[in-house]
Amino acid sequence: MSAADMAADDSGGAGASVIDPLTGLGNQRRLREDVCALAAERAADPAPFTVALVNLDGFKPINDLFGSMAGDEILCQVAHRLKACTPDGSIVTRHDGDEFAIILPLIFEAGSAERIGYLIKDVLSAPYDLGDRNVRLSASLGFAIYPFAGEEFSDLMKSAETALYRSKRRGRGEITVYTREIAQEMRHSTQLEQALRNAIIHDAVDVHFQPIVSLADHQVLGFEALARWIDADLGFVSPAIFVPLAEERGFIDMLSETLLRKAADAALTWPRDLFLSFNLSSAQLKDSSTASRTLAILSAAGLDPARLELEITETAVMACAKTANAIIGDLRQAGVRISLDDFGTGQSSLGRLREFTFDKVKIDRAFVSAITTDRVSEHIVRAVISMCEGLNLKVVAEGIETEAEAAMLDALGCAMGQGYYFGKPADAAGTLRYLYRHYQDLSAARHKGMMLSG
């Protein structure tokens, strides 16, 4: 550790406390002192040691629900468990809030760090006794190994924070050991985020449209709006990358509303009997203002809500079921139709059909792609179509790529389909050209115009 790090030990002045008053653990000042002392002790022969950061997942909602006294009790129990489960010689400290740090002098490499991480995670996931109730929490962990992840205290902690942040991004109860590759991944992700934010501000994220057709006669019924982004420096960026990124970083609403405005404007140029299908994210289904904001965009564009169909996934619905149900109800009351996307990929789709009101079900492409070669997939699709018919739900099959798939789905009674067989996603101008080739009324009008002009 540098002289600056060592000098920082005295920044609080003589007599400054190194104890966290709630848990009795060392605090951040104690963490710095002990890490610097351990590094100085091993200066002649810099043997590795590890610093871990532990963050409780979902602590704030529990603290808000049960009160600060219950939250304090949980933090004290966490402190006790961490001291009990960490190896001899380890030092456990508490940062502000629900984050703890652990110095592990005898953890020298990534495999050992991961093993102790899984032990800590399991110990912290056991129920917490609050007297009249038990609550459960998970924990995310980030590890940084000295000196590989940083020789200075500040660099070492920054590496641990990077690892923890990656764990939090990946979900609850994740464990990450810092590597240079992870740091590079995180830097790339941050650069991508900034580029995407700028692209949204400068209206550079486009929307393309893929046709949804009647399987009986291949007549166009509507289009699904799909996000597309080509960056000047990054080139084409897949929506499978940038849409989840926008959701993770908290600006999916800004992206989605921009795309919906563009999609609604494009839909106004189509025949009025064609619908626009648009995807809502799980974050939007947690926001009670989603319905009003969506309807405001439609009103500003002049698009009839009855022409909009919003696609939502089972996972998104269940992220906050009560709020999602209220949003769905408000949108349907205004005339918007709701479609359950990727049907069959969730864990309890039949339950969702009973608990929520949908207008349409989209069969996931995983079943459609195997329908002509796998009897199990064929029977699943047949059962879904039959069930939806009994529930008065329309059915769309996604990912149709061959004539054989389209013919079999039609024979099974599936009314609608989409996929490359019928048309690839195209921008607004390309979509109009597609309509002139495939939409009967426009084709007839164009033919009549050509006859009159001749």
Side-chain angles (χ1 to χ4, degrees), residues 83 96 98 185 213 228 233 255 318 359 388 453:
K83 288 193 293 184
D96 292 334
D98 58 350
E185 171 195 316
V213 308
R228 292 293 183 268
D233 298 319
L255 173 62
M318 293 313 298
D359 301 283
C388 289
S453 65

Side-chain angles (χ1 to χ4, degrees), residues 82-359:
L82 288 175
K83 288 193 293 184
C85 75
T86 49
D88 290 343
S90 302
I91 300 170
V92 181
T93 62
R94 179 191 172 219
H95 290 192
D96 292 334
D98 58 350
E99 191 165 291
F100 296 79
I102 309 170
I103 304 172
L104 300 157
L106 300 180
I107 300 296
F108 306 136
E109 48 82 35
S112 299
E114 288 178 348
R115 284 191 289 275
I116 192 67
Y118 284 112
L119 172 63
I120 292 171
K121 187 181 80 166
D122 290 344
V123 167
L124 295 185
S125 66
Y128 293 86
D129 182 9
L130 296 180
D132 58 341
R133 67 179 70 87
N134 289 332
V135 299
R136 288 184 179 272
L137 289 170
S138 59
S140 298
L141 295 93
F143 291 85
I145 302 174
Y146 171 89
F148 314 113
E151 295 186 25
E152 308 297 330
F153 174 80
S154 57
D155 293 336
L156 186 65
M157 295 311 300
K158 188 180 297 182
S159 296
E161 288 164 2
T162 296
L164 176 61
Y165 182 61
R166 185 175 186 266
S167 291
K168 300 290 282 188
R169 278 189 58 203
R170 292 169 64 193
R172 293 172 178 259
E174 294 289 337
I175 296 168
T176 302
V177 180
Y178 176 89
T179 64
R180 289 185 176 87
E181 290 75 19
I182 286 175
Q184 184 175 2
E185 171 195 316
M186 298 301 291
R187 282 195 297 271
H188 175 71
S189 180
T190 300
Q191 291 168 355
L192 190 65
E193 175 190 351
Q194 293 305 312
L196 180 56
R197 286 182 181 273
N198 288 332
I200 295 171
I201 292 171
H202 294 98
D203 204 25
V205 183
D206 201 3
V207 59
H208 284 204
F209 304 92
Q210 185 173 38
I212 300 172
V213 308
S214 165
L215 291 179
D217 58 9
H218 294 192
Q219 173 72 357
V220 183
L221 303 174
F223 292 89
E224 179 180 356
L226 301 166
R228 292 293 183 268
W229 176 34
I230 300 178
D231 183 76
D233 298 319
L234 301 170
F236 173 79
V237 183
S238 169
I241 293 175
F242 73 80
V243 172
L245 178 67
E247 189 161 4
E248 290 167 5
R249 301 297 174 93
F251 61 100
I252 186 65
D253 53 344
M254 181 168 63
L255 173 62
S256 182
E257 289 174 13
T258 297
L259 294 173
L260 181 57
R261 289 188 188 97
K262 287 188 173 185
D265 288 341
L268 292 175
T269 67
W270 308 340
R272 291 186 178 182
D273 61 332
L274 299 186
F275 65 84
L276 168 66
S277 187
F278 191 87
N279 291 274
L280 280 187
S281 71
S282 58
Q284 290 172 289
L285 287 173
K286 297 176 186 176
D287 184 350
S288 58
S289 69
T290 291
S292 60
R293 290 161 70 174
T294 299
L295 295 174
I297 291 171
L298 297 183
S299 177
L303 185 71
D304 184 352
R307 292 185 61 192
L308 179 65
E309 183 176 287
L310 291 173
E311 298 187 17
I312 59 179
T313 65
E314 178 184 347
T315 302
V317 166
M318 293 313 298
C320 189
K322 184 177 180 180
T323 301
N325 206 1
I327 292 169
I328 290 171
D330 291 344
L331 289 167
R332 292 190 80 249
Q333 187 173 11
V336 176
R337 288 167 293 176
I338 306 296
S339 176
L340 181 61
D341 196 13
D342 297 338
F343 186 80
T345 60
Q347 296 182 352
S348 53
S349 295
L350 295 178
R352 301 293 84 77
L353 293 178
R354 183 184 64 184
E355 296 169 24
F356 296 88
T357 304
F358 299 103
D359 301 283

Side-chain angles (χ1 to χ4, degrees), residues 22-74:
L22 175 64
T23 63
L25 299 175
N27 58 17
Q28 286 179 300
R29 177 180 170 81
R30 172 71 183 275
L31 174 67
R32 176 186 286 273
E33 289 179 357
D34 288 345
V35 168
C36 290
L38 185 57
E41 177 186 313
R42 300 188 179 183
D45 181 16
F49 65 87
T50 297
V51 173
L53 291 179
V54 182
N55 185 266
L56 302 179
D57 301 318
F59 176 75
K60 186 179 184 302
I62 289 179
N63 203 29
D64 293 342
L65 181 63
F66 298 121
S68 60
M69 289 184 63
D72 288 349
E73 174 60 27
I74 289 174

